[in-house]
Amino acid sequence: MMGRIQQLLPEVSNKIAAGEVVERPASVVKELLENALDARASRVAIALVDAGKTLIRVTDNGEGIHPQDLELALAAHATSKIRSAEDLFGVETNGFRGEALASIASVSRVRLVSKRAQDPHAGEVTSDGGKQGPSRACAAQDGTTIEVRDLFFNLPARRKWLKSDSTEFSHTLDLVQAIALANPEVALRLSHGERVAFDLPAQSQSERLMALYGDLFAEGMLELHEHETYAALDGFLAPPGTHRPNSRGLQLYVNRRPIRDRALMQAVMLAYREFLPPGRFPVAYLFLRVDPATVDVNVHPAKTEVRFLEQNRLFALIKSAITERLIGSGVLPRLSFARPAPAQGYGPQARPDSPFEPVGELTAAPPGQMFSAEALIGARAAEQRWAEARSVLAQVIESAPRAPAAVAAQEKTAPQPAPDSVSPGTEAARPAASPQGLLAQARGLFQVGQTYIVVETADAVVIIDQHAFHERILYYMLEHRLQSAPLERQRLLMPLPLNLSLAARELALSQREALVEFGFELEPFGPDGSLALTAAPRYSLARKHDEMIVELCEELAQGRRPGDFSTMRKSLVEMVACKAAIKAHDPLSPEQIRDLLRLGETVPHTFTCPHGRPTTYRLAFTDLEKVFHRR
Ligand code: ADP
Ligand code: MG
């Protein structure tokens, strides 16, 4: 399949992203491993001495090099992978620059041995700091071995710049793991001195993930498969609740090439946004496949950055596929006393204190129920706060045609209502809550500590923080209600003067438009430049409106992030949801608890509050058995 090596014409080589690729041992390993994969090897062994500073040896069983091409292989701009500038569009191999071996040879001592299956014997060529000897015949097995010794021996400054062996090795390990994950059908061995870091057989993608990143870690991973005409996205996602302090557990591949792409990473972060506490990063391995003709890999010499023709579509695909998968997972954080065994292998590991386990699907309820007066309007509760909280919902529901995301998620995941639950003639028939919903599983329900709702199911107790849970529901509803139109407002007969600090007044003025969305209108009042509330939401937002707006503005003014309107808007929704939600220590009747859970089933998910903190934990009876040594 791979043809002969040729030197690229200058007009072709001039079009190739130029630059140094040999930075450290890891970059040499990357180029050599990619060459082995391009040669269709099914087995590759990488051996390092002194983290590769003394020796890097890569042996493969691939197609090998034509005996007459051995010398050319080490020459600059010599490649068998492209011929013309047009070939640069639609590159399907890892390499195409014809530069790596030449660059490596110029800063080390190289020995290249190769044999094709059809040739009687192997050939060998050596180079010393770029000074190349003639090729000669030798004995070797089919495939290619390349040895790179004494990296940067002729560039003492560069050699001195290399980090400690353990740091250099960890760079190489990260890189080999990343490539190994995308090529599970290739057996791969990595050794460092006497130590074997891993020796992986050909295996499936998920087996490879487990082998590399540990059983514990892979166990709770959600698989993702989303295939569109223009792209296919497969991957493994850590469930909400497993997260890391940095983005090292986030890896994106494009046509098996590990890449760094800010925009697409942003799509992943956006999808996870509500599932993570602030400042934490998700763990996700995503494999994107696109037509090679729609991706330009000739952007950066190390080929870790690419450009997409379909950037926007890919962004949307990644964001929506991940969001839907996370919402549809129905995974609740597991409360467990047993300390899990440490993960095997190297690399990122799940936070050991938060293993996850699925509980029945918490899908959104069908739209009929969501807008039913019975479920949402008519405050049956005696408590004032409860009544007020309900009026927020009443307003939200009354003026919202449909909550788009709830409906979208519901259409994908919720089971169709059984025909007999739809009474003939009612167009907006109200099917019962999803049979797998928590409420349907409940055998017992009660409140503890006037703060938590405890639900007993067949195999677990589920513990819910009533405030965080309700906050999530309100947040969701407000957010989507606001997407369709501003909240309805009514002019006040008498403007209400607002007692605001200077900073809060500034902020209120600069955010007047945003506040109008929530139904608040502010106008200058009096000679000293102070403000008054002249219009307020038509419905109660659970507080006296003037007090609420003062509190909102003061809080925002204190924690203000400059110039970011979307952050501001999100904060507003969060704060309104928070203030309108039932509080800890609000007593709830069994009927109210049921109401709350029913409401929870009308939004796409309630795993986390809008700030990313969990709302719900599940304590499995099997874990209790372990604690009490019943097994
Ligand atoms: P590129 O990979 O960009 O073509 P390289 O400098 O990495 O450039 O390699 C030059 C050429 O040497 C390749 O095009 C390929 O034909 C040949 N080659 C390098 N490594 C191997 C290998 N492990 N097996 C077979 N051929 C190889
Ligand atoms: Mg190459």
Side-chain angles (χ1 to χ4, degrees), residues 257-323:
R257 198 188 287 278
I259 64 146
R260 290 274 143 203
D261 186 281
R262 271 230 196 114
L264 297 188
M265 286 296 169
Q266 190 59 25
V268 181
M269 292 301 293
L270 280 175
Y272 265 98
R273 191 179 57 173
E274 288 181 6
F275 298 92
L276 296 175
R280 303 288 299 187
F281 291 83
V283 179
Y285 298 94
L286 299 169
F287 303 93
L288 190 61
R289 279 178 290 136
V290 295
D291 179 350
T294 66
V295 39
D296 183 1
V297 288
N298 183 26
V299 178
H300 188 267
K303 300 164 293 188
T304 50
E305 285 168 36
V306 298
R307 259 193 300 257
F308 300 101
L309 227 54
E310 303 263 25
Q311 164 97 14
N312 295 344
R313 272 168 114 182
L314 296 176
F315 185 97
L317 172 72
I318 290 178
K319 182 166 171 260
S320 69
I322 296 179
T323 305

